[in-house]
């Protein structure tokens, strides 16, 4: 073991380890309050600032859920697929459901940010600790007894600051992406929902349809063209690294990678990916491979409905009432507005510029993630000295990136 480092049980580094809980679903006054309530699907090696799920003070009081202090580490104890073992750090006080275990560290001996990155490196170890029947779970006692090697507190903080710098840049880019997407969304609504497109004052409105003359309503399915069939990548076949990004129906934009060239979708037009189960829409403007489970690809065959416009039009469709059904057949049966070619082409040109900027930011984020993920295990193992100075750390990182780079990786510059 490196000098000054020591092996400690996770529980011995904490002031508390608490499980979450779920208020009774029979009480509507337990839900919809102000307290964020995290489920395991939101735990994905990330910082958590809020949740779409909320409970009330009354719900918190009448359940086993607890209010967890900010900068605790949340570990998913069970869940479908690869969920169990993932972790997150909460940036605000919040609560979780019973599928999460929440570690609040003693900051006199353990830096919470360092422990977040440290626990991230042990995900594979946690996977091997799973036990159970149809759905393998983590055991709370086993997790508390799990031993980690940690350096002195000052070194923990130094390592955390280096790695956090990458995540800060990634978050800033994500904020910029959100603003660009909002700009494009607002333009879509102004032009095609409120019908205030450039020159609308001089366009007559059809008395029957209520639409500008030449516009019409059509079925989504009537606009969808064919995309050449390629091999679909199963979840079990997705790699952490590879030449071709894999896009599936999950919330994560890029699920992973593959080196299977037979799976490549590479056409001149962007592709819209629709999750048959999740209803999630993704706009993909780079070569990719398609995930196997419930992933539909959509390409317009009508020049009056170019891809950027098609994407925002589909985003405007509400399929939430169909719950857990396969949604693609319902999507194709929906009515949407088909504008004149002039307005469609103008909108396409405008939004393409925005999405090109978004792609550049996403590419930057992928490179930042790669750099962080190379540094992470090396800082945690002592291979890279965090006190060597910024220039020395960057020099070592550049060497590592050069060694890891794939000369033939034509899609590396297109990753998100």
């Amino acid at each position: 073991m490196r000098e000054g480092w020591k092996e400690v049980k996770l529980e011995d580094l904490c002031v508390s380890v608490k499980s979450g809980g779920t208020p009774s679903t029979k009480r509507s006054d337990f839900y919809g309050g102000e307290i964020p309530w995290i489920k395991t699907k939101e735990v994905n090696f990330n910082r958590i600032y809020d949740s779409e799920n909320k409970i009330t003070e009354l719900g918190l009081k009448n359940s086993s859920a607890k209010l967890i202090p900010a900068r605790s580490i949340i570990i998913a104890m069970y869940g479908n697929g690869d969920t169990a073992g993932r972790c997150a750090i909460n940036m605000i006080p919040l609560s979780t459901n019973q599928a999460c275990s929440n570690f609040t560290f003693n900051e006199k001996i353990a830096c919470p940010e360092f422990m977040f990155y440290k626990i991230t490196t042990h995900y594979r170890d946690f996977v091997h600790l799973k036990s159970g029947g149809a759905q393998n779970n983590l055991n709370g006692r086993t997790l508390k007894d799990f031993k980690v090697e940690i350096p002195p507190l000052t070194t923990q903080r130094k390592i955390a600051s280096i790695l956090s710098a990458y995540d800060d840049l990634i978050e800033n880019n994500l904020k910029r992406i959100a603003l660009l997407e909002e700009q494009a969304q607002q333009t879509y609504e102004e032009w095609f929902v409120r019908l205030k497109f450039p020159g609308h004052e001089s366009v007559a409105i059809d008395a029957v349809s209520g639409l500008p003359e030449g516009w019409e309503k059509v079925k989504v399915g009537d606009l969808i063209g064919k995309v050449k069939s390629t091999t679909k990548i199963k979840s079990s076949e997705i790699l952490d690294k590879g030449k071709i990004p894999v896009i599936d129906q999950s919330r994560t934009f890029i699920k992973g990678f593959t080196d299977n060239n037979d799976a490549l979708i590479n056409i001149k037009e962007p592709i819209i990916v629709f999750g048959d189960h999740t209803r999630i829409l993704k706009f993909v403007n780079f070569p990719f491979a398609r995930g196997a489970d419930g992933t539909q690809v959509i390409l317009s065959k009508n020049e009056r409905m170019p891809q950027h416009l098609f994407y925002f039009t589909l985003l405007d469709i509400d399929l939430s009432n169909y719950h857990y059904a396969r949604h693609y057949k319902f999507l194709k049966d929906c009515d949407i507005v088909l504008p004149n070619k002039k307005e469609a082409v103008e909108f396409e040109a405008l939004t393409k510029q925005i999405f090109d900027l978004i792609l550049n930011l996403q590419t930057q984020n992928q490179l930042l993630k790669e750099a962080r993920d190379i540094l992470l295990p090396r800082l945690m193992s002592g291979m890279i000295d965090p006190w060597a100075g910024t220039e020395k750390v960057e020099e070592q990182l550049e060497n590592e990136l050069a060694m890891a780079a794939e000369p033939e990786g034509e899609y590396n510059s297109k990753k998100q």
Side-chain angles (χ1 to χ4, degrees), residues 308-356:
H308 292 81
L309 177 56
F310 207 4
Y311 171 69
F312 284 104
T313 303
L314 296 179
L315 277 178
D316 211 30
I317 295 174
D318 183 9
L319 296 173
S320 59
N321 288 334
Y322 295 107
H323 301 294
Y324 295 105
R326 284 189 172 271
H327 297 87
Y328 190 51
K329 61 181 179 181
F330 300 113
L331 180 72
K332 291 191 293 184
D333 197 46
C334 290
D335 290 321
I336 59 174
V337 172
L338 184 68
N340 283 328
K341 182 179 177 181
K342 178 180 180 296
E343 289 77 37
V345 170
E346 288 178 357
F347 180 81
E348 187 72 3
L350 179 62
T351 49
K352 183 181 184 303
Q353 294 178 14
I354 294 174
F355 273 77
D356 284 346

Side-chain angles (χ1 to χ4, degrees), residues 384-385 388-397:
I384 292 180
D385 180 6
T390 304
E391 291 184 3
K392 186 65 175 177
V393 171
E394 289 179 350
E395 179 184 342
Q396 294 181 66
L397 175 58

Side-chain angles (χ1 to χ4, degrees), residues 340-406:
N340 283 328
K341 182 179 177 181
K342 178 180 180 296
E343 289 77 37
V345 170
E346 288 178 357
F347 180 81
E348 187 72 3
L350 179 62
T351 49
K352 183 181 184 303
Q353 294 178 14
I354 294 174
F355 273 77
D356 284 346
L357 289 173
I358 290 174
L359 179 58
N360 287 335
L361 292 170
Q362 290 169 330
T363 302
Q364 287 179 28
N365 274 2
Q366 182 59 33
L367 294 173
L368 287 167
K369 289 176 183 177
E370 289 175 359
R372 180 202 61 197
D373 291 346
I374 288 174
L375 273 178
L376 181 57
R378 287 157 176 76
L379 285 168
M380 293 298 171
S381 65
M383 287 177 62
I384 292 180
D385 180 6
W387 300 105
T390 304
E391 291 184 3
K392 186 65 175 177
V393 171
E394 289 179 350
E395 179 184 342
Q396 294 181 66
L397 175 58
E398 287 177 2
N399 291 337
E400 295 290 347
L401 285 170
M403 291 174 63
E406 299 211 346

